[in-house]
Amino acid sequence: METINLQEKLSRFSDHWNPRIIGEVNDCHVKAVKLKGEFVWHHHDNEDELFLVVKGTLRMKFRDHDAVVSEGEFIIVPRGVEHLPVADEEVHLVLIEPKTTLNTGNITNERTVAQLERI
């Protein structure tokens, strides 16, 4: 059992859209990630996702609306719901999601991170 400092973990990397594992809770990974720009439309057949904004403002696009998630807020995207994360400025996030969750969900492309680094 150890204390995790989010700022210290986030200071270890500068790339975007490449989540790192910073902890585990039951069958879930706790991940840190930095976003900038627009991701890809995708969904997860079997996993819900929690996006907690540590720094910046996340815009989560859904097919029928956008949700704005500010610092200190989070949004849960239920399994099966198509979504597109957008960060107009750099955003720092904590993700809590099942260990089976692939960052690009049902899509495989150059942004897919199959093997996550643990920091």
Side-chain angles (χ1 to χ4, degrees), residues 36-55:
K36 189 166 185 184
E38 190 171 278
F39 201 47
V40 295
W41 282 104
H42 68 285
H43 71 273
H44 303 273
D45 289 326
N46 301 307
E47 302 99 355
D48 302 329
E49 294 182 287
L50 183 145
F51 296 78
L52 170 63
V53 177
V54 176
K55 178 183 174 187

Side-chain angles (χ1 to χ4, degrees), residues 106-119:
N106 64 315
I107 303 294
T108 302
N109 64 18
E110 68 281 351
R111 288 198 166 162
T112 302
V113 182
Q115 288 292 85
L116 298 177
E117 179 184 354
R118 184 179 300 268
I119 60 171

Side-chain angles (χ1 to χ4, degrees), residues 17-112:
W17 306 105
N18 185 7
R20 271 63 169 204
I21 299 168
I22 60 172
E24 294 185 28
V25 177
N26 298 316
D27 290 328
C28 291
H29 280 145
V30 179
K31 303 172 187 174
V33 65
K34 294 179 182 178
L35 314 180
K36 189 166 185 184
E38 190 171 278
F39 201 47
V40 295
W41 282 104
H42 68 285
H43 71 273
H44 303 273
D45 289 326
N46 301 307
E47 302 99 355
D48 302 329
E49 294 182 287
L50 183 145
F51 296 78
L52 170 63
V53 177
V54 176
K55 178 183 174 187
T57 302
L58 173 67
R59 190 162 37 101
M60 188 65 76
K61 295 176 79 171
F62 299 100
R63 290 297 185 182
D64 61 348
H65 74 285
D66 289 4
V68 175
V69 190
S70 301
E71 278 184 31
E73 297 180 333
F74 66 85
I75 188 168
I76 297 171
V77 178
R79 69 195 73 190
V81 174
E82 197 170 25
H83 57 288
L84 172 71
V86 178
D88 297 318
E89 303 287 330
E90 187 173 77
V91 174
H92 297 183
L93 294 177
V94 169
L95 305 172
I96 301 174
E97 51 197 15
K99 293 177 183 177
T100 56
T101 305
L102 188 62
N103 68 320
T104 53
N106 64 315
I107 303 294
T108 302
N109 64 18
E110 68 281 351
R111 288 198 166 162
T112 302

